[in-house]
Amino acid sequence: MGVMSMEQPQLLSKIATGDGHGETSSYFDGWKAYDKDPFHITKNPQGVIQMGLAENQLTADLVQNWIMSNPEASICTLEGVHNFKEMANFQDYHGLPEFRNAVAKFMSRTRGNRVTFDPDRIVMSGGATGAHEVTAFCLADPGDAFLVPTPYYPGFDRDLRWRTGVKLVPVICESSNNFKLTKQALEEAYEKAKIDNIRIKGLLITNPSNPLGTVMDRTTLKTVVNFINEKRIHLISDEIYAATVFSHPSFISIAEIIEQETDIECDRNLIHIVYSLSKDMGFPGFRVGIIYSYNDTVVNCARKMSSFGLVSTQTQYLMAKMLSDDEFVERFLAESAKRLALRYKVFTGGLIKVGIKCLQSNGGLFVWMDLRGLLKEATFESELELWRVIIHEVKINVSPGVSFHCSEPGWFRVCYANMDDRDVQIALNRIRSFVMKNNKEVMVSDKNTKHCWQSNLRLSLKTKRFDDIMMSSPHSPMAHSPLVKAST
Amino acid sequence: MGIEIEQSHPSVELSSIAISETHGENSPYFAGWKAYDEDPYHEITNPSGVIQMGLAENQVSFDLLEKYLEENSEASTWGKGGTSFRENALFQDYHGLKSFRKAMASFMEKIRGNKAKFDYERIVLTAGATAANELLTFILANPGDALLVPTPYYPGFDRDLRWRTGVNIVPIHCDSSNNFQITLEALETAYKNAESMNMKVKAVLITNPSNPLGIAIQRSVLEDILDFVTRKNIHLVSDEIYSGSVFSSHEFISVAEILESRQYKDAERVHIVYSLSKDLGLPGFRVGTIYSYNDKVVTTARRMSSFTLISSQTQHLLASMLSDESFTDNYIKINRERLRKRYDMIIEGLKSAGIECLKGNAGLFCWMNMSPMLENDTREGELKLWNEILNEVKLNISPGCSCHCSEPGWFRVCFANMSEQTLEIALKRIRDFMNNKDRKDIEN
């Protein structure tokens, strides 16, 4: 038998050999820099600080205390092991009823009890990552498209497109009106798709927004609902950051619009919510994704598909117990909002002191930082140059706006909830030093048109079209966990 | 399923995948489950209910797991130097917990009597073998391509391999004339069949030990299959989910052993699927793995596993359990013994009722031959008999046609998902049924 190598690409599928996984991008410079040189307060105080990861670590102590005080919530303790056999055997894709009931209640609570959720409409998935893919499989055929307002979470490029063959059509939002979603932008995107012969099957919104950290106001939500109803397309509302909102204006769920707004007529069969416990509770490792649909057929279909990504019953059991502890949940949500508010205040306050502004926001686990003033030119190439400087000189991993498909260069997403107070101060100090040094050098070299920070650039000077830059998500399952290194 | 839409709105289309029936839930395999759900047997509250023998679950060794947990309570592990709850809850790296992968590799080696080595860096984690099989299909084949699968096969493959992937299954027909072994002739015929339908064959997928046959594939057959896929330059997927339930370890030969004996020549076309759902009886925990000898497949599968990761909480639990060597050695040994005992019991019981089974040596079920009982030697005849057994004898067993068996009259009967007492009752019901049939025949 001749030596036949299996390395020839055609021996794997097109899906396998393509780039749909989204990991081939210069974005990885940030991750690589962090992985090679991760910050540690004592072991590596000069290392790169990870601010590209949208995690919520501010309330871990509350959860830990609850775990210690409730041993029966685990099936691996003496108090809970009597339930082990039943849980280990239970593989019904409907999920544990007590789990669904607890999740429905929790979703309601995080919306101020202004709406209720039907546990029978709750479908499990492998994290929100899995939920988005399943939704795309249910609603669209290969070649169909979803409209997505920019800037948007980079993981969508993979989650919604990779194995499904579905396309994403951007709906451009601009800084001139604080990136609000407008009817005009929706119509423009829809019409353009029509001209390009692309069939639009749905609109995907993330509310509260990633990367903006803002909530959608009632008027915009109503505009959205009217739009999709008129065009007869689906609406998917990713509400994964629902409980990270820490001040006014409060979060309004699409569920509230559907259930309460009497001046809107909408076919409920078009409305679907994606949710998860990864951000609100800080449990990304537990892979608790939820699809909530008002469409019976979608619920049934998604449920069947959930066979490919069920939540471990061990985890369902723990979540059921934790989320039905009303007193704990109330205390947790209140404390979480408080701590996020304080962290936001400290971080943005520190930035303002050195003249760095962020988009006004009140949710998410990040800020949308405006560094347009530091760009050499208003181009994405300049943005990436600046980004590399931030990584290699300031030694902070932040996420460049181009990776979120932002239409304007100069914006960066910076996460602030995945570290402790002391580390935030260190990050702020570094930013302060960088800005001050930059200002000083600009003043000194006024004849020299080159800004000094450019000479320190270690660049891959190939320019990249921003569509080429696909990003791996820092918050969805990713290549290397910074967590293991970040723990102190 | 009803679609509740107000009549004033014309319905908005869902995807073709959503509308199709390829999810497979309308097959008789699932119809029996519904009958069981509506009237489930309970020794006290419903002694005349349907006994579930259509579910390949392993419930014979739970006490061993419970004992382990009692002695290694979780409360003692959180926060004491090792991983904290918080760290674990944050861990979402798609490589998976290293300690867990190492433990899985070592467990897989033990199951194969240490006759093959597994490198933990080649282990990719998925939420169950269901996800593993679908994921591999996405990686190895394009929509419209074909996988060759020996019949009879696990009904779930129709959904797992085809539904969302758009890939086809072309059967490799096996029959009772040689105990349903896979032959080179059958492989070639299936391959030509696929070609004649204009489908590119991308892989052969075998289940070893076989579901529903309950037999481990012989070494010479495995060698033939490996040679076949090499000749055709296609992949081989070996689903070894039942590898730990072989009644004696020397009777199971994994494709891993053969590759090792060939110094891993041409190994990059081979991929093994495993899970803890059957061997450890933990289907609810969704623990599946792909072990591939192909670097690109490992990398790609790992990225794709983002859609179907194993809960870090579960990884943490199993990492400690499976690295406890005295626990695993003991478990594997005792589990095998108990399964063999169960198997002997059901074979004897069926024999005394006049029913023969295929001689098996693995799995949680036996492959029962009821073809002499058929009125008509057809699929309809088989379904008629199956309905009788479901509704009169009140046993849910799986008809061979749901496993795509080309010969009517065979049934898969599970024996490890119930107590011994319940199994006795099931056997008694079968004996009574057969006696009545004999009497009716004599009367006629």
Side-chain angles (χ1 to χ4, degrees), chain A residues 312-380:
Chain A
S312 168
T313 45
Q314 180 193 13
T315 301
Q316 288 187 48
Y317 187 79
L318 175 67
M319 293 299 104
K321 289 260 183 270
M322 193 186 285
L323 299 182
S324 11
D325 183 341
D326 294 336
E327 186 273 332
F328 168 73
V329 170
E330 222 175 283
R331 193 164 34 96
F332 176 90
L333 291 174
E335 191 60 30
S336 177
K338 215 165 107 192
R339 295 179 187 184
L340 284 169
L342 180 58
R343 179 56 65 86
Y344 173 85
K345 186 160 159 228
V346 165
F347 189 62
T348 52
L351 291 176
I352 285 281
K353 284 205 185 96
V354 292
I356 295 180
K357 290 203 292 264
C358 297
L359 183 73
Q360 172 102 0
S361 62
N362 65 329
L365 306 169
F366 32 71
V367 288
W368 190 232
M369 193 164 73
D370 182 358
L371 294 185
R372 289 176 292 176
L374 290 182
L375 293 187
K376 187 176 67 158
E377 289 164 1
T379 63
F380 290 105

Side-chain angles (χ1 to χ4, degrees), chain B residues 138-204:
Chain B
F138 269 120
I139 290 177
L140 303 179
N142 292 312
D145 289 347
L147 300 186
L148 304 183
V149 186
T151 65
Y153 62 78
Y154 161 57
F157 281 160
D158 287 328
R159 172 195 62 190
D160 301 348
L161 306 176
R162 302 184 320 159
W163 190 20
R164 305 191 305 179
T165 61
V167 171
N168 300 301
I169 295 177
V170 171
I172 301 166
H173 289 293
C174 304
D175 59 62
S176 58
S177 62
N178 70 340
N179 291 323
F180 295 94
Q181 283 183 87
I182 302 162
T183 64
L184 266 177
E185 205 190 316
L187 282 164
E188 290 284 358
T189 305
Y191 191 92
K192 288 202 183 75
N193 217 352
E195 277 190 323
S196 72
M197 292 190 282
N198 264 323
M199 294 177 193
K200 284 208 192 81
V201 176
K202 283 307 179 64
V204 169

Side-chain angles (χ1 to χ4, degrees), chain A residues 84-368:
Chain A
F84 179 83
K85 183 174 170 184
E86 201 194 318
M87 288 306 115
N89 248 340
F90 185 87
Q91 57 178 331
D92 180 350
Y93 61 26
H94 287 78
L96 288 174
E98 53 266 37
F99 169 73
R100 280 182 289 123
N101 288 335
V103 170
K105 212 160 53 150
F106 185 72
M107 285 175 73
S108 180
R109 263 233 178 71
T110 52
R111 289 152 183 75
N113 289 320
R114 295 181 294 267
V115 274
T116 54
F117 291 90
D118 176 1
D120 289 338
R121 292 193 173 282
I122 286 184
V123 175
M124 297 180 287
S125 59
T129 301
H132 277 296
E133 197 198 37
V134 166
T135 310
F137 268 125
C138 287
L139 303 181
D141 286 329
D144 289 344
F146 287 155
L147 296 172
V148 193
T150 67
Y152 65 79
Y153 161 62
F156 283 160
D157 289 327
R158 172 196 62 191
D159 301 349
L160 296 165
R161 303 185 319 167
W162 190 15
R163 305 191 300 182
T164 61
V166 170
K167 298 186 164 85
L168 294 182
V169 170
V171 179
I172 311 290
C173 301
E174 293 169 335
S175 60
S176 53
N177 72 337
N178 291 322
F179 296 96
K180 273 209 179 131
L181 180 58
T182 64
K183 181 160 196 262
Q184 187 190 2
L186 284 166
E187 293 283 358
E188 261 175 46
Y190 188 86
E191 288 309 315
K192 181 168 189 306
K194 224 157 117 186
I195 291 169
D196 293 340
N197 253 325
I198 296 174
R199 189 162 79 139
I200 300 287
K201 283 315 281 292
L203 166 64
L204 167 63
I205 59 175
T206 306
N207 177 32
S209 162
N210 175 10
L212 305 176
T214 53
V215 298
M216 263 190 198
D217 58 45
R218 194 170 288 272
T219 313
T220 308
L221 283 166
K222 280 157 89 163
T223 302
V224 162
V225 171
N226 281 328
F227 176 80
I228 59 111
N229 200 47
E230 184 218 324
K231 304 287 190 225
R232 306 295 299 139
I233 62 177
H234 292 276
L235 176 64
I236 303 126
S237 182
D238 183 344
E239 303 191 345
I240 195 176
Y241 291 100
T244 65
V245 176
F246 51 77
S247 66
H248 287 293
S250 54
F251 165 61
I252 303 169
S253 165
I254 197 70
E256 295 172 58
I257 304 293
I258 296 302
E259 309 257 3
Q260 293 161 4
E261 292 290 338
T262 45
D263 57 339
I264 289 194
E265 207 198 272
C266 181
D267 179 0
R268 287 193 180 199
N269 285 297
L270 299 174
I271 310 291
H272 323 278
I273 297 175
V274 164
Y275 185 57
S276 157
L277 297 182
S278 299
K279 311 295 178 183
D280 289 348
M281 295 298 297
F283 295 155
F286 292 175
R287 315 313 303 144
V288 183
I290 303 289
I291 298 169
Y292 187 94
S293 175
Y294 290 87
N295 182 319
D296 291 349
T297 314
V298 173
V299 169
N300 280 323
C301 180
R303 191 175 279 141
K304 293 182 166 90
M305 285 189 186
S306 69
S307 301
F308 299 110
L310 294 172
V311 177
S312 168
T313 45
Q314 180 193 13
T315 301
Q316 288 187 48
Y317 187 79
L318 175 67
M319 293 299 104
K321 289 260 183 270
M322 193 186 285
L323 299 182
S324 11
D325 183 341
D326 294 336
E327 186 273 332
F328 168 73
V329 170
E330 222 175 283
R331 193 164 34 96
F332 176 90
L333 291 174
E335 191 60 30
S336 177
K338 215 165 107 192
R339 295 179 187 184
L340 284 169
L342 180 58
R343 179 56 65 86
Y344 173 85
K345 186 160 159 228
V346 165
F347 189 62
T348 52
L351 291 176
I352 285 281
K353 284 205 185 96
V354 292
I356 295 180
K357 290 203 292 264
C358 297
L359 183 73
Q360 172 102 0
S361 62
N362 65 329
L365 306 169
F366 32 71
V367 288
W368 190 232

Side-chain angles (χ1 to χ4, degrees), chain B residues 72 88 131 155 203 209 213 236 244 272 274 313 329 334 345 374 391 396 443:
Chain B
N72 296 275
N88 182 249
L213 303 176
L236 173 62
I272 297 175
Y274 186 57
Q313 185 190 18
D329 285 339
I334 296 190
M345 187 177 150
L374 295 184
N391 296 307
N396 179 32
E443 279 163 19

